[in-house]
């Protein structure tokens, strides 16, 4: 499997290039993350400038280090640059990484940009710098959960006959039209870059591209009125097109946005510029560009608020557009709620979140076998069944075959051991890598997203993701990472990532059992500590005793 326009080939089959499957699995995850990225030639995976490595020299040095890594050694990465191979122990992680971390007061875009220009740091996003990106499927599952939950608020229990308006068809946002369709609705997604929209059509995530708001409205209304599902990409700037669509009389049931608003320079494209003008201005006058972006975000949020005033469900999808609009003077920005308190928190409270696995063989049969094993392990989970059957039909394989599904505390370690047994028994062509997003129950502090409006006000406390990373390191996950910034921009979050390779050994079974229990367990404990009853109940069921007063 060769990665277009780069010298990169993704390892597959049962041929080892490293000194063990753990190292090989990590290497394939790195290659697969890059292969699925938005701009692999620039090492950029998603979310504006989220990267796998600081530069190509670092990338190749990481690959060389993984190939030479012994069973009792750990590779240490500082913001995408390999800095050491140290002797640790056979049950220690193969890779530990810290990406984009700046001391609190200094965690600002100007400081970051200065350090980035000096080549000292890189942006790791969430799964980009953890090498656990699986393309748009990962976010598709979360997006489906969110739109399904939005649909559940209507009398029909779904989005049938309703229009969802959103923007951004990039690495993450590209999942929105298909997720809306899976939840029964019609999606209009405004995207400024026609190439991005075409890419989503090619992947089957979106159905048609239109160039005018009038055409988008006509198509969306026709589909909604006949109860059909449809994904429409409207080429244009969201700040402008949202206003235009409202002026034309669109009244969407749900409104959100997934432009790269977390990054006002390299992510968001301001109103008033064509894409080509934006690219030029970005390089020529970054200060002016950022000022225009910020003003445009305020306008964009005002349009979202107008839809809210009309009665739509309007939420921020974790890109910090409210924060930037507020900074630019839009005082009502935070009247828009975040999607986590609205839809996701009850899942997080019981340790339920985005578990995923990657078939390192590259063989679709391994995915089919692991899908079947998952459904057999959890026969009584209707949402899992709905998702898996739709994913099998509608989600194309990108790079190494992978699956994502939301599992709770107690379920992930169980499935991890089942998978390890399948590898041991020779039922799969090669080992699996088990991983998750950073957006999870216990692995992130992000006060405008995952930890927005926590019951006890602990939104900004970042001890929890750091404890999560420490637990995964002591329990022997194969990759453990600590990130800052992530999907919300500089200073916006602290998060932790993890991956563990199921190579069929007893030793892997032990580490999988420990890691995949403790990883969501610290999330349940975090939510129990904050006062959520579902979390206290989940902790009790899992035998986690409160030590102080919970
Ligand atoms: P991306 O950079 O790959 O894509 C962003 C897209 O927005 C691009 O296609 C770009 O052309 C388009 N765009 C930018 N400005 C626009 C404008 N004014 N109008 C119309 N289109 C515009 O980013 P991504 O990976 O898709 O992530 C999108 C955002 O969502 C980021 O801010 C990211 O941090 C955030 N995010 C949210 C979650 C979540 O769970 N909710 C997860 C990951 C990322």
């Amino acid at each position: 499997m060769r990665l277009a326009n780069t010298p990169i080939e993704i390892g597959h089959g049962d041929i080892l290039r490293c000194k063990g499957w753990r190292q090989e699995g990590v290497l394939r995850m790195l290659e697969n993350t890059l292969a699925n990225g938005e701009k692999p030639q620039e090492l950029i995976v998603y979310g504006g400038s989220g990267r796998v490595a600081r530069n190509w020299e670092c990338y190749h040095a990481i690959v060389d280090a993984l190939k030479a890594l012994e069973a009792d050694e750990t590779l240490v990465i500082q913001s995408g640059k390999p800095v050491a191979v140290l002797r640790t122990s056979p049950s220690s992680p193969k890779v530990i990484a810290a990406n984009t971390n700046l001391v609190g007061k200094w965690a600002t875009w100007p400081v970051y940009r200065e350090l980035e220009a000096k080549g000292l740091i890189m942006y790791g996003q969430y799964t980009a710098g953890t090498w656990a990106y699986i393309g748009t499927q990962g976010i598709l599952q979360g997006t489906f959960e969110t739109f399904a939950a939005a649909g559940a608020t209507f009398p029909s229990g779904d989005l049938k006959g309703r229009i969802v308006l959103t923007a951004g068809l990039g690495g993450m946002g590209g999942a929105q039209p298909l997720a809306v369709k899976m939840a029964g609705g019609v999606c209009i997604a405004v995207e400024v870059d026609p190439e991005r929209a075409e890419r989503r059509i090619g992947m089957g995530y979106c159905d048609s591209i239109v160039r005018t708001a009038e055409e988008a409205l006509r198509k969306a209304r026709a589909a909604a009125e006949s109860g059909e599902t449809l994904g429409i990409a409207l080429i244009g700037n969201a700040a402008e097109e949202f206003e235009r669509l409202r002026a034309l009389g669109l009244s969407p049931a749900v409104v959100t946005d997934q432009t790269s608003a977390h990054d006002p320079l390299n992510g968001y494209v301001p109103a008033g510029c064509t894409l080509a003008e934006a690219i030029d201005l970005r390089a020529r006058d970054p200060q002016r560009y950022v000022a225009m972006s910020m003003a445009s975000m305020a306008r964009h949020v005002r349009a979202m608020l107008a839809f809210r005033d009309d009665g739509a469900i309007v939420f921020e999808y974790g890109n910090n557009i409210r924060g930037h609009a507020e900074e630019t003077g839009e005082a009502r920005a935070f009247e828009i709620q975040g999607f986590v308190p609205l839809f996701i928190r009850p899942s997080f409270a019981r340790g339920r979140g985005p578990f995923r696995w990657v078939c390192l063989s590259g063989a679709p049969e391994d995915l089919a076998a692991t899908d079947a094993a998952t459904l057999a392990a959890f026969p009584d989970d209707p949402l899992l069944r709905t998702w898996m059957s739709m994913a099998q039909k509608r989600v194309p394989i990108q790079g190494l075959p992978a699956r994502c599904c939301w599992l709770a505390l107690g379920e992930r370690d169980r499935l991890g051991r089942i998978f390890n047994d399948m590898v041991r028994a020779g039922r799969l062509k090669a080992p699996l890598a088990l991983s998750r997003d950073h957006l999870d129950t216990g692995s992130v502090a992000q006060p405008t997203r995952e930890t927005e409006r926590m019951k006890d006000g602990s939104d900004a406390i970042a001890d929890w993701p750091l404890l999560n990373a420490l637990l995964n390191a002591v329990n022997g996950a194969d990759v453990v990472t600590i990130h800052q910034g992530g999907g919300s921009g500089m200073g916006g979050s602290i998060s932790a990532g993890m991956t563990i390779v199921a190579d069929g050994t007893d030793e892997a079974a032990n580490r999988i059992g420990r890691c995949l229990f403790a990883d969501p367990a610290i999330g349940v404990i975090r939510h129990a500590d904050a006062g959520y009853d579902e979390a206290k109940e989940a902790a009790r069921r899992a035998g986690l005793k409160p030590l102080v007063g919970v």
Side-chain angles (χ1 to χ4, degrees), residues 294-373:
M294 297 291 279
S296 178
M297 285 188 226
R299 179 174 164 190
H300 189 153
V301 162
R302 270 194 292 281
M304 292 171 78
L305 282 163
F307 283 120
R308 187 172 184 272
D309 294 340
D310 294 343
I313 298 177
V314 181
F315 61 91
E316 189 203 89
Y317 218 145
N319 61 359
N320 198 29
I321 195 163
R322 292 172 300 176
H324 282 148
E326 191 184 54
E327 262 178 63
T328 324
E330 181 42 68
R332 290 182 62 207
F334 277 85
E335 283 180 24
I336 295 172
Q337 274 214 65
F339 73 109
V340 173
L342 263 178
F343 303 122
I344 303 294
R345 180 128 327 126
S347 281
F348 280 178
R350 53 193 186 88
R352 185 169 174 271
F355 180 70
R356 62 182 57 172
W357 63 96
V358 174
C359 303
L360 298 172
S361 61
E365 307 89 277
D366 281 1
L367 186 59
T370 47
D371 277 353

Side-chain angles (χ1 to χ4, degrees), residues 38 45-49 125-126 133 139 143 167-174 190-193 196-197 200 236-239 257-263 266-271 275 282 296 300 316-320 339 437 439 449-450 486-489:
E38 292 294 300
V45 182
Y46 74 93
S49 59
Q125 261 287 356
Y126 276 180
Y133 186 67
I139 200 71
T143 312
L169 290 174
M172 297 282 130
V190 183
E191 168 56 60
V192 75
D193 182 348
R196 298 289 188 112
R200 301 309 155 209
N237 190 293
D257 170 63
Q258 276 220 43
T259 58
S260 260
H262 72 280
D263 184 342
N266 292 316
Y268 192 82
V269 176
L275 184 62
R282 213 173 246 168
S296 178
H300 189 153
E316 189 203 89
Y317 218 145
N319 61 359
N320 198 29
F339 73 109
D437 196 358
L439 178 154
R449 195 161 79 188
E450 291 89 340
S488 33

